[in-house]
Amino acid sequence: MKQTVFLETPVNFSFRHTVYAHGWCDLRPFNLDEKNWRLSYVFADPAGAVSPAVISDAGGKLKIELLGTKVDKKKLLRDVRHILRIDEPLDEFYDLTRGEERLAWIAAANAGRLLRSPTVFEDLVKTICTTNCSWALTKNMVANLVESLGEESSGGDRAFPTPQAMASVPAGFFRDEIRAGYRSPYFAELAESVASGKLDPEEWLHSDLPTSELKKEIKKVKGVGDYAAENLLKLLGRYDGLALDSWLRSQFYKKHNKEKTCSDKKIEKHYKKFGEWKGLAIWCDMTERWFDGKL
DNA sequence: GCGTCCAGGTCTACC
DNA sequence: GGTAGACCTGGACGC
């Protein structure tokens, strides 16, 4: 049985720019139907109910088609607000970038919201999956996690695995089945910490710590270095760090340094004027052309 | 077919 | 605090 609900969106919200803002829409249990611009995700609630939903733009609101009936509808709507960052204020960022000719498109397009997962745990695991490998391998590892350990809905769709599910298998499982390589013990340790209550990544969403201190906390997780911590901080709504990786650096060299390599300090200096928004500024700047012909 | 390189890095040991 | 070397995987590339 299918249910449809609608969710109001703010005037400066762009569904397509949010969904396509970075690669997360490509990682299970997300799936993007680019032809019809429908984003699907397999939601799960703490009671274990699993429900796929399809989200699409309905002009000033979102249309959400629920394909399961058992899921907690209130929680699901909270999750949708969270993953699409509907309540995130970007006015200050837009004011800053409007003053830059090459970045004025961001406010005009209502861009800058980065799609995220319903839980910080899921974003943390996915971020570790992006380190030191190709995007194809990242997708493969995430898909293997979902297929092997994700709770299954009545229709056969699988949610992202819970910390408990990931903690129930040995490190060797991540190596042999997930193909996570050297990351395997990191996943086993992280899952055990979260499942046992020793670590609660969801607390980072509302932490009072300054970003530099929170970054130190995040880096205590094995497998998380500067890039991964700063990438996760962006998904927590903190954009002080650039989250430089080889892709972002190469894009900067092409766009702003005549295709020549340069130091990270030079990249930092380039975006310094955006202050605590510089991480979002570089990301929007480097991904501007992603939207050519896509929207 | 085989070897090498490298991609949306991080950890550890050592200085 | 800075640096070198090791670490998994799998696709691309050259031979």
Side-chain angles (χ1 to χ4, degrees), chain A residues 116-133:
Chain A
R116 62 185 171 185
S117 308
T119 67
V120 179
F121 172 74
E122 181 175 332
D123 280 338
L124 179 55
V125 172
K126 284 177 173 175
T127 297
I128 293 172
C129 287
T130 67
T131 58
N132 197 27
C133 65

Side-chain angles (χ1 to χ4, degrees), chain A residues 219-232:
Chain A
K219 283 180 70 174
K220 286 179 183 172
V221 175
K222 286 277 183 66
V224 176
D226 281 329
Y227 150 74
E230 290 179 3
N231 186 64
L232 190 71

Side-chain angles (χ1 to χ4, degrees), chain A residues 25-222:
Chain A
C25 63
D26 228 8
L27 298 179
R28 299 274 305 273
F30 280 112
N31 184 52
L32 177 62
D33 171 2
E34 277 188 65
K35 192 178 170 190
N36 299 301
W37 274 96
R38 288 156 59 88
L39 177 72
S40 54
Y41 184 81
V42 183
F43 291 90
D45 65 28
V50 177
S51 177
V54 180
I55 309 167
S56 55
D57 189 14
K61 51 192 166 187
L62 295 171
K63 180 182 178 184
I64 305 162
E65 297 166 77
L66 303 176
L67 306 178
T69 55
K70 291 180 181 174
V71 76
D72 179 342
K73 211 186 300 178
K74 276 188 182 172
K75 183 187 178 300
L76 186 140
L77 289 175
R78 278 202 306 275
D79 283 348
V80 171
R81 298 190 82 88
H82 178 84
I83 67 174
L84 294 172
R85 320 199 46 164
I86 287 173
D87 302 309
E88 189 157 316
L90 291 176
D91 297 338
E92 189 181 333
F93 175 61
Y94 287 163
D95 287 344
L96 272 173
T97 49
R98 268 195 203 99
E100 295 285 320
E101 191 180 344
R102 69 173 193 278
L103 296 179
W105 67 271
I106 300 171
N110 296 321
R113 288 182 169 82
L114 308 178
L115 183 70
R116 62 185 171 185
S117 308
T119 67
V120 179
F121 172 74
E122 181 175 332
D123 280 338
L124 179 55
V125 172
K126 284 177 173 175
T127 297
I128 293 172
C129 287
T130 67
T131 58
N132 197 27
C133 65
S134 63
W135 184 243
L137 184 55
T138 296
K139 289 203 298 186
N140 198 30
M141 283 188 273
V142 174
N144 289 340
L145 279 169
V146 171
E147 276 307 308
S148 304
L149 297 170
E151 191 70 29
E152 190 173 14
S153 73
S154 56
D157 299 294
R158 288 184 183 275
F160 193 83
T162 60
Q164 290 74 19
M166 286 180 62
S168 70
V169 296
F173 183 88
F174 296 103
R175 191 179 299 276
D176 300 335
E177 304 298 325
I178 308 302
R179 311 302 294 165
Y182 71 92
R183 304 166 195 80
S184 300
Y186 303 159
F187 286 145
E189 186 178 319
L190 171 62
E192 194 281 326
S193 292
V194 179
S196 68
K198 276 188 287 189
L199 176 69
D200 182 8
E202 311 310 313
E203 281 185 354
W204 296 339
L205 270 172
H206 312 291
S207 171
D208 293 327
L209 289 174
T211 303
S212 58
E213 293 302 312
L214 184 56
K215 182 178 168 184
K216 285 180 190 170
E217 283 300 306
I218 295 171
K219 283 180 70 174
K220 286 179 183 172
V221 175
K222 286 277 183 66

Side-chain angles (χ1 to χ4, degrees), chain A residues 251-280:
Chain A
Q251 296 304 307
F252 181 87
Y253 305 152
K254 281 181 200 167
K255 192 165 183 176
H256 296 302
N257 209 45
K258 299 176 182 171
E259 305 212 11
K260 290 180 183 171
T261 59
C262 64
S263 67
D264 289 353
K265 282 186 179 172
K266 183 171 182 180
I267 303 177
E268 282 272 353
K269 192 177 171 188
H270 188 93
Y271 293 98
K272 192 179 175 185
K273 69 179 81 167
F274 299 105
E276 63 182 23
W277 294 99
K278 60 179 178 286
L280 192 53

